[in-house]
Amino acid sequence: MINSTQVSYFTLGGYFDTGLFKYFYFLIVMSLYMLIVCANLLLIVVICMNRSLHEPMYLFLCSLFVNELYGSTGLFPFLLVQILSDSHTVSASVCFLQNFLLFSYGGVEYLNLAVMAYDRYLAICCPLQYNTQMSFNKIAMLIGATWFYPLLMCVVMTSLSHSLQLCGNIINKVYCDNYSVVKLACYDTRVNNIYGLFVTSLSIICPLILIFYTYMKILKVCFSGSKQTRQKAVSTCTPHLASLINFSFGSFFEIVQSRFDMSSVPNILRIFLSLYWLTCQPVFNPLLYGLNMSKIRIICNSLTFAKV
C-alpha cells in the first residue's frame, strides 16, 4: 500500500509517441492558446474600459471571459510542456493543482451561465423592475458567489483526493483528472464518491434546473408578447443557449469517458473528447458574443479601424 504523500509523481498514459510531429502539435496548441488569450483579453478590456458596457449583462460576460482565461491557463501551459516531453510525468503537487483549476473552472462556467440566464429572465419577463432588481451590489454579490462556491467546493474535493492512499500512479489521460486519481485509491472511496455527487449536483444539476426554469418563463412571455419582445429574446438568448449547449456537450463526453470503459474508442478520439470541454468553450464564447452582441461588435470594429 502506497500512501499518497509518498507518490511524488503521476504518469500520464494518454500520450503516445508522435516523433517529430510533436513540434507540429506544439505549434497548433500554442496558436490555439494565443488565440484564446488574445480574444478573451480583448473583450475583457473592451468591457472594462467602456462605460456604455457597464451593464449587468456585459459584466457577467466579463466574468465568463475571465473564467475562460482561468481554465485555459490551467490546461495549456501544462499541455505544451507534456507535448515536448519524452517522459510524460507530472509531480503530485502540480497534478492536484491542475485538478483544482480545471474542475473549479467547470463549476464557475455553469454558475456563470445560470446567473446570465437569470439576468435575461429579469430583463425580458420583468423589464420594469430590472434596474431595481439588478443593482450594483446584487451584481457584485452574484459574481462573487459564482466564483466563491466552486473554488470552495474544489478545495475540499482536492483535499479529500490528496489524503487518499494510492496503489498506483498511472492516469490514462493527457491531463490530471480528479476521478482518475480517486480510482487509484487502495481502499474504499465512499466519502469521495458521495462528495463528488454532491459537488456535481450543486455545480451542474442545480444551475441547469435554474436555466431550464428561466427559459420556460422567457418562452411563455415570448409566445404571449409582441414581435419586438420576441426579437429581443432571440438576440440576447441565442448566444447564451449556444454556449450552454456547447459546454454541456463537452462536459457530457468528459463524464462518460471518466466513468465508463472507453478502451474500444481510438486513442486520438478519446484525447479529443477529453479536451473538448476545456479547449472549444474558451474559443467559442469570445467569437460567439463578439460577433452577436452589437455593442461589443461596434466597439471592436472601431478599435480595428482606428488602428488601420
Side-chain angles (χ1 to χ4, degrees), residues 47 53-63 112 115-116 118-120 122 130-147:
I47 292 172
L53 298 180
H54 291 180
E55 300 174 8
M57 178 173 61
Y58 297 105
L59 294 177
F60 295 138
L61 271 178
C62 187
S63 173
N112 212 130
V115 168
M116 291 170 66
Y118 173 68
D119 173 67
R120 291 302 83 208
L122 289 179
Y130 180 73
N131 289 330
T132 55
Q133 288 286 333
M134 273 297 172
S135 62
F136 179 79
N137 289 336
K138 188 170 183 178
I139 295 169
M141 181 192 70
L142 288 172
I143 292 176
T146 295
W147 283 85

Side-chain angles (χ1 to χ4, degrees), residues 33 36-48 57-75 101-102 104-109 112 116 143-144 146-148 151 278 281-283 285-286 289:
Y33 184 44
I36 289 171
V37 171
C38 292
N40 284 280
L41 198 58
L42 171 65
L43 293 178
I44 291 169
V45 171
V46 165
I47 292 172
C48 290
M57 178 173 61
Y58 297 105
L59 294 177
F60 295 138
L61 271 178
C62 187
S63 173
L64 191 71
F65 297 144
V66 170
N67 190 47
E68 306 306 351
L69 288 178
Y70 172 76
S72 300
T73 303
L75 173 70
L101 293 175
L102 298 186
S104 57
Y105 158 75
V108 172
E109 191 81 5
N112 212 130
M116 291 170 66
I143 292 176
T146 295
W147 283 85
F148 176 75
L151 292 175
L278 294 167
Q281 190 77 349
V283 176
N285 275 341
Y289 288 104

